[in-house]
């Protein structure tokens, strides 16, 4: 008697037909997630679109063109209606405020430079929304992020996008392994954003030429200080600008107006150029010094998320590549675990402006795989 041949895996990795595979697509209203929904729907998948309302769109924090604005919800809904799949809007305002906005404000008050988009992916989209996907009996959740997921020998692996200019791995380092098992990223293999827009035109999507969102969705015009002062009025308390010896050079109008590495706008002209090298929230001091004082080779990390095949605490040290800012390419480094979720990074070449609150993302120095990362701490 002949044995039945195993069913071929579909494009999302499931041994069943697309029509029997339910996919929740996280739809921001932009061209990327809209194309994901259109492609999967065209392939016959049982697509369900979800858009999150993350804050009060009538509030002063909202801004036109941001990823969470009311116009974007309308655009996502229209794409679903035109293509003919169900779409829902979920009110996540309280979760977003508690998990992202409040932490963002508190981190700035403490003298750090947070990256709220990472926390939004970690604590809202890939945690709360992912659980909603499971509640809806979805087999997986797909997003429009530019990153790749491959099945390795041991487990699902996270890899950089084919288009280095669009790669979003820096903002997704905290994705847990169990989340990665469930997530899909259908755009990660595309070579350019123009390919995405061409697909949008192919499917007749009105968002085909919609501009990309550039700013943090709840920060109007990129003014962090204005948002934080609204949330935490005490953040604008004045204080001293001092040099590395403690000498007072001037007065500032709140440490929230300064970032590590800043040179302009210090109001202490004369002499050699000075840069912000440290923010002391307890003393309300902005510490400045020469550019050389910004350089560092040793970086301490907390909340490390490890996606490698080895057990993290079993590593004595490991050669990797790291990015300490989203705008910088990976650079050679040595990773040394110091606890279950902490580590030190020794950079091969000193970096300037490394700031607490930013992410340090781990890469395979010889390939495209992401091994996770951690949060830079003092």
């Amino acid at each position: 008697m002949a044995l039945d041949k195993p069913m071929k895996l579909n494009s999302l990795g499931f041994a069943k037909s697309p029509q029997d595979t339910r996919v929740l697509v996280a739809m921001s209203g932009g061209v990327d997630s809209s194309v994901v929904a259109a492609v999967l729907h065209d392939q016959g998948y049982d697509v369900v679109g979800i858009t999150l309302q993350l804050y009060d769109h009538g509030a002063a924090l909202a801004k036109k063109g941001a990823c969470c604005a009311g116009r974007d919800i309308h655009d996502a809904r229209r794409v679903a209606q035109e293509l003919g799949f169900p779409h829902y809007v979920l009110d996540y305002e309280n979760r977003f405020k508690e998990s992202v906005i409040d932490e963002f404000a508190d981190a700035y008050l403490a003298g750090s430079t947070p990256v709220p988009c990472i926390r939004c992916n970690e604590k809202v989209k890939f945690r709360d929304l992912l659980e909603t996907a499971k509640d809806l009996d979805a087999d997986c959740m797909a997003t429009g992020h530019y990153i790749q997921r491959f099945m390795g020998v041991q487990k699902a692996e996270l890899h950089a996008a084919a288009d280095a200019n669009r790669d979003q791995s820096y903002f997704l380092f905290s994705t847990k392994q169990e989340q990665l098992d469930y997530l899909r990223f259908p755009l990660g293999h595309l070579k350019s954003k123009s390919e995405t827009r061409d697909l949008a035109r192919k499917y007749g999507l009105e968002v085909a030429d919609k501009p990309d969102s550039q700013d943090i969705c709840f920060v109007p015009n990129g003014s962090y200080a204005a948002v934080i002062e609204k949330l935490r009025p005490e953040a604008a308390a004045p204080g001293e600008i001092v040099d590395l010896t403690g000498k007072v050079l001037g007065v500032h109008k709140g440490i929230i107006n300064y970032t590590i590495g800043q040179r302009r706008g210090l109001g202490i002209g004369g002499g050699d150029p000075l840069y912000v090298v440290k923010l002391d929230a307890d003393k309300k001091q902005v510490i400045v010094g020469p550019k050389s004082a910004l350089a560092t080779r040793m970086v301490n990390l907390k909340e490390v998320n490890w996606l490698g095949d080895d057990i993290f605490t079993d590593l004595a040290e490991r050669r990797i590549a790291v990015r300490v800012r989203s705008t910088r390419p990976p650079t050679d480094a040595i990773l040394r675990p110091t606890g279950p979720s902490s580590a030190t990074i020794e950079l091969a070449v000193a970096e300037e402006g490394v700031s607490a609150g930013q992410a340090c993302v781990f890469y395979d120095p010889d390939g495209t795989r992401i091994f996770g990362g951690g949060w830079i701490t003092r």
Side-chain angles (χ1 to χ4, degrees):
M1 180 178 177
L3 297 175
D4 291 337
K5 294 178 63 176
M7 188 172 184
K8 184 179 178 181
L9 299 181
N10 62 34
S11 64
L12 294 178
F14 298 99
K16 52 184 175 180
S17 64
Q19 58 264 34
D20 293 326
T21 305
R22 176 169 292 176
V23 187
L24 185 145
V25 178
M27 299 182 68
S28 69
V31 62
D32 299 324
S33 57
S34 296
V35 165
V36 168
V39 168
L40 294 176
H41 181 262
D42 184 55
Q43 293 175 354
Y45 287 99
D46 177 11
V47 172
V48 177
I50 296 285
T51 302
L52 302 180
Q53 178 175 313
L54 297 180
Y55 56 79
D56 181 356
H57 303 134
L61 294 183
K63 73 179 291 286
K64 183 179 179 181
C67 70
C68 324
R71 177 69 188 180
D72 295 327
I73 291 177
H74 170 75
D75 288 343
R77 181 183 291 118
R78 183 174 57 190
V79 167
Q81 289 175 341
E82 292 177 352
L83 295 177
F85 59 82
H87 173 264
Y88 305 97
V89 178
L90 303 182
D91 182 354
Y92 273 34
E93 281 189 35
N94 289 337
R95 303 183 199 198
F96 186 70
K97 183 178 186 300
E98 293 171 1
S99 299
V100 180
I101 296 180
D102 285 347
E103 181 177 309
F104 171 83
D106 292 339
Y108 253 99
L109 280 177
S112 295
T113 309
V115 191
C117 294
I118 297 177
R119 288 302 197 195
C120 183
N121 288 325
E122 175 187 343
K123 296 188 174 183
V124 179
K125 295 175 182 176
F126 290 176
R127 186 186 69 185
D128 297 342
L129 181 56
L130 190 144
E131 289 304 314
T132 297
K134 293 179 178 179
D135 290 341
L136 292 173
D137 294 325
D139 294 282
C140 63
M141 186 172 94
T143 78
H145 290 106
Y146 286 87
I147 197 165
Q148 299 188 86
R149 174 191 182 276
F150 297 132
M151 283 306 301
V153 176
Q154 298 188 32
K155 56 188 179 182
E157 299 175 355
L158 202 59
H159 286 254
D163 179 4
N165 293 323
R166 304 296 302 178
D167 177 60
Q168 292 176 289
S169 57
Y170 183 85
F171 300 98
L172 297 171
F173 83 87
S174 61
T175 304
K176 304 297 186 289
Q177 185 64 48
E178 58 269 22
Q179 296 169 335
L180 183 57
D181 294 338
Y182 193 74
L183 289 163
R184 300 294 187 273
F185 308 105
L187 302 184
H189 68 287
L190 299 182
K191 298 296 193 299
S192 69
K193 184 60 178 270
S194 62
E195 290 188 49
T196 306
R197 296 195 183 277
D198 288 343
L199 285 170
R201 296 185 189 98
K202 170 186 173 181
Y203 291 109
L205 304 181
E206 293 187 30
V207 296
D209 296 310
K210 185 174 181 178
D212 292 336
S213 177
Q214 299 297 323
D215 298 325
I216 296 170
C217 64
F218 61 91
V219 179
N221 305 315
S223 178
Y224 294 0
V227 171
I228 297 165
E229 187 172 354
K230 180 180 177 65
L231 295 167
R232 305 284 191 274
E234 71 277 13
E240 299 170 335
I241 300 176
V242 303
D243 66 15
L244 294 173
T245 68
K247 179 182 177 182
V248 177
L249 303 179
V251 177
H252 65 76
K253 296 181 180 179
I255 64 171
I256 59 170
N257 295 293
Y258 301 86
T259 57
I260 303 298
Q262 179 178 335
R263 175 185 174 189
R264 299 183 183 277
L266 299 181
I268 49 172
D272 295 331
L274 292 174
Y275 300 79
V276 176
V277 298
K278 184 181 178 183
L279 298 171
D280 190 325
D282 293 334
K283 295 181 180 179
K284 294 184 173 60
Q285 287 184 334
V286 173
I287 297 95
V288 298
K291 190 175 183 180
S292 59
L294 287 170
T296 183
R297 288 187 58 193
M298 302 302 296
V299 181
N300 294 321
L301 304 181
K302 64 179 181 179
E303 297 181 51
V304 171
N305 179 51
W306 178 247
L307 294 174
D309 296 330
D310 308 285
I311 297 173
F312 180 67
T313 50
D314 286 349
L315 299 173
E317 63 177 39
R318 179 164 181 163
R319 183 178 72 91
I320 58 172
V322 300
R323 288 168 73 181
V324 293
R325 283 189 179 178
S326 63
T327 55
R328 295 182 180 177
T331 183
D332 289 339
I334 299 294
L335 165 68
R336 297 185 180 94
T338 57
S341 60
S342 61
T344 59
I345 294 291
E346 182 179 353
L347 301 171
V349 178
E351 289 266 1
E352 294 179 353
V354 176
S355 177
Q358 295 281 295
C360 177
V361 183
F362 309 155
Y363 296 84
D364 180 352
D366 303 312
T368 62
R369 187 174 176 185
I370 294 101
F371 288 128
W375 293 97
I376 298 171
T377 186
R378 293 181 181 83

